[in-house]
């Protein structure tokens, strides 16, 4: 009887969970399918150029890994030599540094041999570097790293497509008096995170700005933008993650709207990233938690038109959860 009651109670609990909890994973999965379908049928020039740039960045990164293997080998040899010298001259060095030392802790005091501790520390570093070199040198390790870069490139492409779709919606809602064109929105959207394939730091916007400025020099890409437009897009890329700096003191009025569009589109795109707002313990949020996360995202938006687009996307999400 107790078992039956327990099972019934558990089923009711699960039913309540399904009705009242919001699945971040489901949102992520559904929108990913939608984006993949869109990208399959989307062959605009800018998207193709982004893929070419991604391939160049991945190739450069692979070359850097080859060079880093030589540096790691050199470091391992230095560590080997240092450990050997420490062991060989241990007694002399102990006298020189008055070892053993007394180490005082909350639990009391204990004697430690300074040279032994140094040897242990160097051996630990050497072990880490040996493993790193093994991973980079083995076929399996190399393949794993290449797959990781390919996955990053795909994720980056999908995210950039998502930002473009949202930025286009914001652009359509605007009463455009600043000569912003769909071409500018498209380039800025697709390239705002291009360098993130190999650079995850907060400085990716600065590096992305420099990367975009250099595109005109790559003949294969055939970027036929004027210097003015190139600069306008590069500035939008630079400021897309710096909300507090998007003002006339840092960026000319003629460029400010494009930066605002890309900033807001990037923020709205986070609605579809489960890792942005899912619970740390599971893929589910309570309605209260969900509303709190939506409120945080909404407050980060700059343009009134972006808020309208944001609300439309919330309705869209609610249609399939």
């Amino acid at each position: 009887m107790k078992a039956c009651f327990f099972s019934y109670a558990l089923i009711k609990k699960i039913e309540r969970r399904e009705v009242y909890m919001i699945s971040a994973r489901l949102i992520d999965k559904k929108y990913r399918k939608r984006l993949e379908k869109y990208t399959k049928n989307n062959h605009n020039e800018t998207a193709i150029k982004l893929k070419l740039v991604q391939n160049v960045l991945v190739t450069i990164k692979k070359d850097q890994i080859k060079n880093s293997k030589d540096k790691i080998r050199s470091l391992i040899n230095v560590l080997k030599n240092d450990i050997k010298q420490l062991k060989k001259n241990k007694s002399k060095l102990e006298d020189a540094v008055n070892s053993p030392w007394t180490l005082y802790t909350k639990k009391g005091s204990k004697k430690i041999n300074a040279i032994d501790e140094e040897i242990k520390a160097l051996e630990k570093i050497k072990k880490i570097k040996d493993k790193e070199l093994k991973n980079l040198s083995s076929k399996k390790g190399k393949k794993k790293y290449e797959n990781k870069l390919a996955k990053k490139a795909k994720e980056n492409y999908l995210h950039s497509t998502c930002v473009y779709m949202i930025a286009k919606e914001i652009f359509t809602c605007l009463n455009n008096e600043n000569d912003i064109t769909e071409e500018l929105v498209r380039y800025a959207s697709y390239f705002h995170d291009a360098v993130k394939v190999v650079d995850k730091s907060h400085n990716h916007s600065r590096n992305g700005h420099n990367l975009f400025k250099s595109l005109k020099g790559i003949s294969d890409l055939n970027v036929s933008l004027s210097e003015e437009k190139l600069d306008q897009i590069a500035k939008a890329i630079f400021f897309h993650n710096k909300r507090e700096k998007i003002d006339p003191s840092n960026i000319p009025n003629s460029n400010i709207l494009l930066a605002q569009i890309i900033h807001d589109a990037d923020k709205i795109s986070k609605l579809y990233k489960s890792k942005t707002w899912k619970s740390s313990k599971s893929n589910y949020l309570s309605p209260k938690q969900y509303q709190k996360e939506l409120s945080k995202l909404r407050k980060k938006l700059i343009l009134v038109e972006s808020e309208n687009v944001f609300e439309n996307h919330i309705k869209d999400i609610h249609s399939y959860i």
Side-chain angles (χ1 to χ4, degrees), residues 167-255:
K168 202 160 61 165
E169 288 176 45
I170 298 169
F171 170 71
T172 306
C173 292
L174 287 164
N175 181 16
N176 190 6
E177 296 172 1
N178 290 50
D179 297 325
I180 301 290
T181 63
E182 193 275 337
E183 181 187 42
L184 293 177
V185 171
R186 189 171 69 248
Y187 266 104
S189 299
Y190 273 108
F191 282 91
H192 80 284
D193 270 353
V195 81
K196 232 178 173 180
V197 175
V198 292
D199 178 11
K200 286 178 76 177
S201 71
H202 190 68
N203 280 335
H204 75 269
S205 54
R206 180 188 294 276
N207 297 332
H209 164 275
N210 297 337
L211 171 72
F212 191 79
K213 290 279 277 186
S214 67
L215 292 187
K216 202 164 184 182
I218 304 172
S219 56
D220 290 351
L221 289 176
N222 192 26
V223 177
S224 56
L225 296 165
S226 66
E227 284 299 326
E228 186 185 347
K229 285 182 178 178
L230 205 71
D231 189 57
Q232 204 170 354
I233 295 162
K235 277 191 168 64
I237 292 169
F238 183 83
F239 288 103
H240 84 268
N241 63 344
K242 299 175 177 64
R243 186 188 192 281
E244 69 287 351
K245 291 187 178 180
I246 303 178
D247 64 61
S249 64
N250 291 307
I251 183 169
N253 277 322
S254 57
N255 296 350

Side-chain angles (χ1 to χ4, degrees), residues 14 22-23 25 45 48 65 100 134 184 190 227 231 260 263 270-271:
I14 291 168
I22 309 295
S23 171
R25 186 169 52 191
E45 268 186 43
I48 293 164
I65 293 298
K134 188 180 176 182
L184 293 177
Y190 273 108
E227 284 299 326
D231 189 57
Q260 288 171 333
H263 170 274
K270 292 183 187 297
L271 285 170

Side-chain angles (χ1 to χ4, degrees), residues 39-56 157 161 186-187 190-191 215 220-223:
T39 52
K40 198 175 179 180
N41 302 318
N42 178 35
H43 301 291
N44 72 65
E45 268 186 43
T46 315
I48 293 164
K49 284 170 186 173
L50 172 63
K51 286 204 167 185
L52 287 170
V53 170
Q54 284 181 336
N55 290 337
V56 171
Y157 182 72
T161 303
R186 189 171 69 248
Y187 266 104
Y190 273 108
F191 282 91
L215 292 187
D220 290 351
L221 289 176
N222 192 26
V223 177

Side-chain angles (χ1 to χ4, degrees), residues 41-248:
N41 302 318
N42 178 35
H43 301 291
N44 72 65
E45 268 186 43
T46 315
I48 293 164
K49 284 170 186 173
L50 172 63
K51 286 204 167 185
L52 287 170
V53 170
Q54 284 181 336
N55 290 337
V56 171
L57 290 171
V58 167
T59 304
I60 292 168
K61 189 69 177 175
K62 285 177 184 175
D63 290 339
Q64 286 174 348
I65 293 298
K66 285 179 187 175
N67 295 333
S68 72
K69 283 198 286 187
D70 294 332
K71 289 178 183 177
I72 293 168
R73 281 193 193 98
S74 300
L75 179 59
I76 289 169
N77 289 331
V78 170
L79 289 166
K80 269 184 189 176
N81 189 50
D82 287 351
I83 292 165
K84 188 179 176 181
Q85 291 301 319
L86 282 169
K87 286 179 177 177
K88 187 179 176 182
N89 304 305
K90 188 180 172 185
S91 56
K92 289 179 183 177
L93 290 167
E94 282 172 346
D95 292 338
V97 296
N98 297 321
S99 185
W101 297 344
T102 304
L103 181 68
Y104 294 96
T105 65
K106 287 180 180 179
K107 294 180 180 179
S109 62
K110 64 175 182 178
K111 298 282 183 183
I112 61 163
N113 187 301
I115 308 306
D116 283 343
E117 292 298 317
E118 181 70 11
I119 291 168
K120 277 182 195 174
L122 292 176
E123 284 176 339
K124 189 176 178 181
I125 296 168
K126 183 182 170 295
K127 191 177 178 181
I128 292 167
K129 291 298 169 185
D130 281 334
K131 189 177 178 181
E132 196 177 327
L133 183 62
K134 188 180 176 182
N135 286 337
L136 289 173
S137 302
S138 70
K139 282 184 180 179
K140 190 178 177 181
K142 188 182 175 185
K143 188 71 179 171
K144 189 178 176 182
Y145 187 76
E146 286 176 357
N147 288 342
K148 191 179 175 181
L149 281 175
K151 189 180 176 182
K152 272 187 185 177
K154 185 183 176 183
E155 292 295 320
N156 181 273
Y157 182 72
L158 284 175
H159 169 64
S160 299
T161 303
C162 179
V163 170
Y164 168 57
M165 288 168 73
I166 296 166
K168 202 160 61 165
E169 288 176 45
I170 298 169
F171 170 71
T172 306
C173 292
L174 287 164
N175 181 16
N176 190 6
E177 296 172 1
N178 290 50
D179 297 325
I180 301 290
T181 63
E182 193 275 337
E183 181 187 42
L184 293 177
V185 171
R186 189 171 69 248
Y187 266 104
S189 299
Y190 273 108
F191 282 91
H192 80 284
D193 270 353
V195 81
K196 232 178 173 180
V197 175
V198 292
D199 178 11
K200 286 178 76 177
S201 71
H202 190 68
N203 280 335
H204 75 269
S205 54
R206 180 188 294 276
N207 297 332
H209 164 275
N210 297 337
L211 171 72
F212 191 79
K213 290 279 277 186
S214 67
L215 292 187
K216 202 164 184 182
I218 304 172
S219 56
D220 290 351
L221 289 176
N222 192 26
V223 177
S224 56
L225 296 165
S226 66
E227 284 299 326
E228 186 185 347
K229 285 182 178 178
L230 205 71
D231 189 57
Q232 204 170 354
I233 295 162
K235 277 191 168 64
I237 292 169
F238 183 83
F239 288 103
H240 84 268
N241 63 344
K242 299 175 177 64
R243 186 188 192 281
E244 69 287 351
K245 291 187 178 180
I246 303 178
D247 64 61

Side-chain angles (χ1 to χ4, degrees), residues 270-271 273-278 293 297:
K270 292 183 187 297
L271 285 170
K273 286 190 173 182
S274 59
K275 66 179 182 181
T276 303
W277 49 268
K278 73 179 179 185
E293 293 304 320
L297 281 175

